[in-house]
Amino acid sequence: MKNSRSKTRAAPAYAYRNNEFWGDMAAWNRQHSEDNSDRMERLRRNLRKAREQELTPRQQQMLRMYYDEGKSMTKIAMSLKVNKSTVSRTIARGRNRLYHYLQYSL
């Protein structure tokens, strides 16, 4: 008597077609979506302006280290000799300030 659990089951054919369908849909969406390069450029310009004008110097420093330099919060905390939670809160406050400034710029 054979054990039914030892059989390997092949993926159903519709699973492959389904993945192909979603790939085709993504390609179609890219081709037929409207160009938003003007809006993205305006957002980048406003983001640079907001980082300079709306953030405190400490927020600017930590956001630059985190996003631009790719440092972890732990490494930022160690280099600035502050607690990791301080870095986390400062980055969160900076992001919130940027979000509130930029939410109406589009």
Side-chain angles (χ1 to χ4, degrees):
M1 188 169 181
K2 290 186 176 181
N3 186 353
S4 63
R5 290 183 185 202
S6 65
K7 292 181 182 179
T8 58
R9 203 179 254 189
Y14 67 84
Y16 296 115
R17 285 190 299 249
N18 194 23
N19 288 336
E20 185 178 319
F21 169 78
W22 289 114
D24 290 345
M25 273 307 279
W28 185 87
N29 280 333
R30 280 192 302 273
Q31 290 173 351
H32 292 87
S33 64
E34 79 179 60
D35 182 25
N36 67 349
S37 59
D38 293 339
R39 293 178 75 191
M40 291 303 292
E41 183 55 37
R42 186 171 55 238
L43 178 62
R44 284 187 200 97
R45 197 173 44 248
N46 288 342
L47 179 59
R48 281 191 298 271
K49 184 178 172 183
R51 283 177 73 168
E52 294 168 1
Q53 296 178 357
E54 297 296 317
L55 298 179
T56 67
R58 192 64 155 188
Q59 289 171 341
Q60 288 177 16
Q61 179 185 28
M62 289 188 188
L63 284 170
R64 185 185 67 251
M65 292 172 82
Y66 187 71
Y67 288 108
D68 299 343
E69 298 173 13
K71 292 185 178 178
S72 68
M73 289 189 193
T74 305
K75 291 198 186 249
I76 295 170
M78 287 176 11
S79 67
L80 298 177
K81 295 179 178 40
V82 295
N83 202 335
K84 182 182 167 190
S85 64
T86 302
V87 174
S88 176
R89 284 192 310 267
T90 304
I91 290 173
R93 286 185 189 123
R95 273 194 305 240
N96 286 337
R97 284 181 104 167
L98 291 174
Y99 173 77
H100 289 296
Y101 181 83
L102 294 172
Q103 71 181 0
Y104 300 110
S105 68
L106 293 176

